[in-house]
Amino acid sequence: MNSIRSSEGTVVLLCVVGLLAFAGTASAFSVSAEGVPEETAVGSEVSVTYTVDDPFTGTSNQWTLRGQTELRDVSWTVTVLRAGSQVDQATYGGQNFSRALDIDNNGDEVRVQLTGTAPEVTNYTYEPPQQYTVAELTRVSGNNEETFQNSTAHHYTEESRQARQAIDSAQRAIDGAGGNQEAENLVESAVSSYENDNFENARNLAEDAESTAQQAQQSQQNTRTLLLGGGAIVALLVLAGLGYALYTKSQGDDYSKL
């Protein structure tokens, strides 16, 4: 009886220890993002929000939050909250900002709202697609500097997007045709034109490549059709020959009986 009670007590104690351990690790420094685009047209407006929860858990009680972006016409709004209520708020202009945080007078959540416009493209690349930095957030404590958020997005102009879509379409046609060297060479030239900002030429070359691939695929289908048709004719001739041979043999047997 005593051993049973002792076992029950041990189980309860282990459960309490487990709950305490979970409670001790349930909260931790973390960051979430809302509104980060995968791609944007040059000059379009971008608005994103980053939320840092438990900013002093597992790190220094005093550290500096730094942010930078490649967006243009930028506005940063940094809001500090405690239990959901605003403690402090500050707004910064420019592509960089710096904000000191202290556990003694700051809260348990830091919200960073960023607005701006997508920048122009300085270097077009087809693969991987050219990108820009939406936002990079860094935690600085003494000599330690850690980037904990880095968001990027693909940016484009209408002309570059049309050229990219044409190249993508051509590549799909080539894949559908099982490959075609002439079409692949045209696509390579289209990519080169794309990366040199010559989008009209890139689009024309890509369209030629797609047409070449489609013609090659159609030719292959026609060849298969002819081969299948020829095979069917041969099969019919063979059957006809066998039938004639059997008929001739049967006639010969009937004649010999007579």
Side-chain angles (χ1 to χ4, degrees):
M1 190 70 170
N2 289 336
S3 65
I4 294 175
R5 289 178 178 174
S6 176
S7 298
E8 290 175 347
T10 301
V11 171
V12 171
L13 179 60
L14 289 173
C15 289
V16 171
V17 170
L19 288 172
L20 289 174
F22 176 79
T25 58
S27 62
F29 182 100
S30 64
V31 60
S32 59
E34 294 181 7
V36 179
E38 291 185 2
E39 60 177 14
T40 55
V42 170
S44 62
E45 184 173 314
V46 178
S47 180
V48 298
T49 300
Y50 300 95
T51 301
V52 180
D53 289 313
D54 300 307
F56 302 103
T57 302
T59 187
S60 174
N61 291 340
Q62 295 178 327
W63 57 278
T64 299
L65 172 63
R66 291 180 182 170
Q68 65 178 30
T69 181
E70 290 184 335
L71 293 171
R72 302 291 188 263
D73 306 319
V74 177
S75 174
W76 307 83
T77 299
V78 182
T79 305
V80 180
L81 304 100
R82 182 182 296 115
S85 299
Q86 181 176 313
V87 175
D88 187 37
Q89 186 177 80
T91 300
Y92 306 89
Q95 292 180 302
N96 300 275
F97 83 90
S98 181
R99 167 64 191 268
L101 299 173
D102 191 324
I103 195 172
D104 291 333
N105 52 29
N106 286 153
D108 55 11
E109 181 182 307
V110 179
R111 190 173 299 157
V112 180
Q113 295 173 293
L114 167 65
T115 61
T117 57
E120 294 182 357
V121 181
T122 57
N123 182 34
Y124 284 94
T125 57
Y126 178 73
E127 189 63 42
Q130 68 276 352
Q131 294 188 324
Y132 69 97
T133 299
V134 176
E136 182 179 283
L137 300 179
T138 303
R139 178 173 55 186
V140 182
S141 178
N143 294 324
N144 297 321
E145 186 171 326
E146 177 190 359
T147 298
F148 60 87
Q149 179 68 38
N150 187 11
S151 303
T152 61
H154 168 58
H155 54 158
Y156 59 88
T157 63
E158 186 57 35
E159 293 78 9
S160 72
R161 188 179 199 182
Q162 290 177 0
R164 174 177 287 278
Q165 290 173 340
I167 295 171
D168 290 344
S169 181
Q171 190 59 61
R172 287 192 296 270
I174 293 171
D175 294 340
N180 179 275
Q181 190 59 54
E182 182 181 356
E184 288 173 358
N185 291 340
L186 287 168
V187 164
E188 289 180 5
S189 297
V191 170
S192 179
S193 291
Y194 175 89
E195 295 183 340
N196 282 286
D197 305 1
N198 191 347
F199 305 121
E200 182 178 359
N201 191 53
R203 188 172 65 252
N204 291 336
L205 287 168
E207 289 171 353
D208 289 345
E210 182 171 5
S211 178
T212 299
Q214 289 172 343
Q215 290 174 5
Q217 186 176 25
Q218 185 62 49
S219 177
Q220 291 171 2
Q221 290 173 347
N222 292 340
T223 300
R224 283 196 294 269
T225 300
L226 289 173
L227 288 174
L228 289 172
I233 292 173
V234 170
L236 288 173
L237 290 173
V238 169
L239 289 173
L242 289 173
Y244 179 75
L246 290 172
Y247 172 77
T248 302
K249 184 176 184 302
S250 65
Q251 291 296 317
D253 290 342
D254 291 341
Y255 179 78
S256 64
K257 290 177 181 179
L258 292 175

